[in-house]
Amino acid sequence: MTVATVRSYRPRAPAWRWILAGSLLTVAILAGVIIGEMPLPPDTVLAVLANKLFGAGYPVDSINAAIIWNYRMPRTLVAAACGAGLALSGVVLQALIRNALADPYLLGVSAGASTGAVAVTILGLGGGALGLSSGAFAGALLAFGLVAALARAAGGGPAQLVLAGIAGSQLFNALTSFFIARSANAEQARGIMFWLLGNLSGVRWPDVSLAAPAALIGFLACLWHVRALDAFSFGAQSAAALGISLRRVQGMLIGTTTLMTATMVSLVGSIGFVGLVVPHAMRFAVGPRHGRLVPWSALAGAVFLIAADIVSRILIPGQVVAIGVVTALVGAPGFALILIRSRGRT
């Protein structure tokens, strides 16, 4: 793909692709609701969904209905939103920074969210007015602000942003460990550490109302800027030559990435490898043009995290494994395979 191609390119998505994407996502959501610690019959799941969505009035056991609608459905929807948001964040950062290893946690957002959650839970900051998610979101925004200020003071380039993100992550990770070691009892430390590894067990419908809009806003913003993302893949000078306002577009896209990542981390904790592996895998599947890469990365991220959540529930009978452990077990070898396959292509 050349700069001239970027100048003339306008994304066109045939209707069948959107239908295929919607079908894959629907199947993944249904699988996330059906499969779990206690498998549920598909007809029961469909009956509950018909009752809740369309008032069908099918006779269904109240316990099964509660499990499906109040526990598994919001959990699966949050997993889909988080997977899509983290994958989109990886796509954006890898294009803007032109760094193949860029992912949503590069900017220190995850580490800041962890510190905020620990500060609220263990130290009692906020006087009870802030919950764990609110504290995590505040910490994520604080971390990004510090990283952005440090990067600007160092020159404001992509390399400075990467180094500032690494420094910020180390700082906030150290603060989190210090708070836990100094103030947490054994039960608090165990709960926080499980949350830090990624935990979807506690999400409910109010969390869906946060995760879904954040993912949708991020998706629409990325779709709107696919041409700019293509241009940034060739460097900032090429983007400027195409008439793109560098500061405005960079600020909007990085702000969108921060919003998505902070929201997802504040709800479910740190989940690694989604924003790193999914964009690379989708480049092999659909190519580098962001008109295709953005929607398919969002879909793949959603399906991947739903599948990881299913595995986390059934991997050990009677016990739920932190979803971050599952994504790392799959993502690390997956990324190694991608690196090997891409040797000599860059």
Side-chain angles (χ1 to χ4, degrees), residues 76-311:
T76 302
L77 292 178
V78 169
C82 288
L86 294 176
L88 288 172
S89 297
V91 169
V92 170
L93 290 176
Q94 288 164 18
L96 291 183
I97 301 176
R98 302 186 69 198
N99 187 327
L101 298 179
D103 76 341
Y105 303 118
L106 178 70
L107 302 181
V109 173
S110 175
S114 302
T115 303
V118 169
V120 168
T121 304
I122 296 178
L123 303 182
L125 295 184
L130 295 178
L132 185 143
S133 295
S134 300
F137 189 77
L141 294 180
L142 175 62
F144 174 72
L146 291 177
V147 168
L150 177 59
R152 176 172 294 184
Q160 286 76 16
L161 185 61
V162 171
L163 294 175
I166 293 173
S169 295
Q170 294 299 317
L171 171 63
F172 283 99
N173 284 333
L175 287 174
T176 299
S177 299
F178 175 75
F179 291 156
I180 293 175
R182 183 179 184 276
S183 304
N185 56 41
E187 183 178 353
Q188 287 177 323
R190 183 180 182 277
I192 288 293
M193 294 307 296
F194 188 75
W195 180 85
L196 291 177
L197 292 173
N199 179 22
L200 285 162
S201 298
V203 299
R204 296 296 183 266
W205 282 108
D207 300 307
V208 178
S209 65
L210 292 176
L216 180 60
I217 291 172
F219 177 67
L220 294 177
C222 292
L223 275 184
W224 184 260
H225 290 95
V226 290
R227 180 174 173 270
L229 288 171
D230 283 337
F232 275 110
S233 298
F234 295 97
Q237 290 183 346
S238 298
L242 292 172
I244 294 172
S245 176
L246 298 183
R247 290 188 178 275
R248 182 184 63 81
V249 174
Q250 285 177 330
M252 181 174 295
L253 289 174
I254 291 179
T256 300
T257 298
T258 304
L259 171 66
M260 287 192 292
T261 305
T263 301
M264 306 314 174
V265 172
S266 69
L267 294 175
V268 302
S270 300
I271 301 176
F273 282 98
V274 179
L276 184 62
V277 173
V278 171
H280 282 283
M282 288 300 98
R283 285 190 186 91
F284 281 109
V286 302
R289 286 183 174 177
H290 288 83
R292 291 191 294 265
L293 184 61
V294 165
W296 285 104
S297 292
L299 173 65
V303 173
F304 174 70
L305 206 57
I306 291 174
D309 182 46
I310 293 174
V311 173

Side-chain angles (χ1 to χ4, degrees), residues 1-83:
M1 185 170 62
T2 64
V3 174
T5 303
V6 172
R7 185 187 298 274
S8 61
Y9 173 65
R10 292 294 185 275
R12 296 181 179 88
W16 68 265
R17 289 186 178 177
W18 292 106
I19 295 173
L20 175 61
S23 301
L24 291 174
L25 183 59
T26 300
V27 170
I29 291 173
L30 288 176
V33 177
I34 293 170
I35 305 171
E37 305 92 322
M38 180 183 71
L40 295 170
D43 57 342
T44 301
V45 172
L46 293 176
V48 171
L49 295 180
N51 290 345
K52 294 294 185 179
L53 297 176
F54 307 109
Y58 293 114
V60 181
D61 180 76
S62 59
I63 295 178
N64 287 341
I67 292 173
I68 292 169
W69 187 253
N70 296 326
Y71 174 64
R72 289 193 182 175
M73 180 57 73
R75 177 174 183 146
T76 302
L77 292 178
V78 169
C82 288

Side-chain angles (χ1 to χ4, degrees), residues 98-101 280 283-284 288 338-346:
R98 302 186 69 198
N99 187 327
L101 298 179
H280 282 283
R283 285 190 186 91
F284 281 109
I338 290 171
L339 286 178
I340 293 172
R341 290 189 58 185
S342 63
R343 183 178 57 182
R345 298 187 185 185
T346 59

